[in-house]
């Protein structure tokens, strides 16, 4: 019971960390520069410009609450608590940043630098959230509804809606802002997957050594990992060898390499990057 509570608490803290990072990117870099790069935040930036009496955080909250209502109606019991929580809290965090750091103009006078941070921070935040099986809400709710009640290609539908919001910046603001938003949309498309792959990256390692028992014990006792042992025959020498295969984090792979160097400098090691490992000790299936 205690272990389950701890796991849920860590999940909750990671979720909020991702939301705060995303909100910082939206409030500090997207909004002051009018970078409406799709999603509910992009729509909120457009609405805040059209109706300046309300700030962007308020428009995000209104938009997300409307989408939440649609989600509850059309998705029903499958509607995840995490999505509902993220939708509301992202808006709250954005409003909080707008309150503590009120910006009447961008932080710097370099639009490209601002665009990079406007894309990187929400991409990193979203990647953190997606990686724990949650979402930032917003247009993800539209995806849930489309998935359940239609055969529309969801990815294309969401990309089209993001593109429409981005194109509107040409009309509402100016051509340079619109071009920056289009560039930001392209960057956003690739960056989230890139960050997720980086978070989940592991080393798939194969080792042939004269000291297999020592290496096995190091992996099990010092790294708290396991390994697979198989028999192999060298094509040239026809000598029978033990082959050790294991999967480790980057840090563990460095420790293992240093240890192997100390016990067998003639060992043969291959390390292959893997974007994700699923199973016991790593990501859940």
């Amino acid at each position: 019971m205690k272990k389950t509570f701890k796991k849920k608490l860590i999940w909750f803290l990671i979720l909020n960390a991702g939301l705060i990072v995303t909100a910082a990117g939206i409030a500090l870099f997207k909004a002051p520069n009018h970078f409406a790069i799709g999603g509910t935040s992009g729509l909120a930036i457009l609405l805040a410009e059209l109706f300046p009496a309300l700030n962007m955080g308020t428009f995000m909250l209104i938009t997300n609450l409307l989408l939440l209502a649609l989600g509850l109606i059309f998705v029903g019991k499958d509607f995840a608590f995490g999505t509902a929580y993220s939708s509301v809290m992202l808006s709250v965090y954005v409003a909080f940043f707008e309150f503590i750091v009120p910006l009447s103009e961008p932080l710097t006078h370099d639009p490209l630098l601002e665009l990079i941070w406007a894309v990187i921070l929400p991409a990193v935040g979203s990647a953190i959230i997606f990686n724990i099986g949650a979402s930032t809400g917003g247009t993800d709710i539209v995806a849930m509804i489309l998935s359940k009640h239609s055969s529309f290609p969801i990815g294309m539908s969401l990309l089209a809606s993001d593109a429409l919001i981005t194109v509107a910046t040409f009309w509402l603001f100016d051509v340079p802002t619109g071009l920056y938003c289009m560039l930001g949309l392209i960057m956003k498309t690739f960056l989230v997957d890139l960050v997720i792959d980086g978070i989940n990256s592991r080393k798939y390692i194969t080792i042939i050594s004269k000291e297999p028992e020592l290496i096995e014990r190091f992996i099990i006792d010092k790294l708290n990992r396991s390994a697979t042992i198989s028999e192999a025959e060298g094509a040239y020498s026809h000598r029978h060898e033990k082959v050790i295969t294991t999967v480790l984090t980057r840090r563990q792979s460095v420790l293992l390499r240093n240890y192997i160097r100390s016990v067998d400098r003639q060992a043969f090691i291959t390390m292959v990057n893997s974007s994700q490992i699923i199973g016991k000790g790593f990501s859940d299936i």
Side-chain angles (χ1 to χ4, degrees), residues 39-61:
T40 54
S41 63
L43 182 60
I45 289 170
L46 299 180
L47 292 173
E49 180 68 18
L50 291 170
F51 307 100
L54 296 176
N55 63 20
M56 193 190 70
T58 303
F59 277 115
M60 276 190 71
L61 184 60

Side-chain angles (χ1 to χ4, degrees), residues 30-36 40-60 63 98 103-106 165 168-174 177 181:
K30 275 189 176 183
N33 292 280
H34 302 138
F35 291 151
T40 54
S41 63
L43 182 60
I45 289 170
L46 299 180
L47 292 173
E49 180 68 18
L50 291 170
F51 307 100
L54 296 176
N55 63 20
M56 193 190 70
T58 303
F59 277 115
M60 276 190 71
T63 305
E98 287 184 316
L103 294 173
S104 57
E105 59 181 25
I165 292 169
T169 59
F170 285 93
W171 166 72
L172 196 58
F173 302 115
D174 52 43
T177 300
C181 289

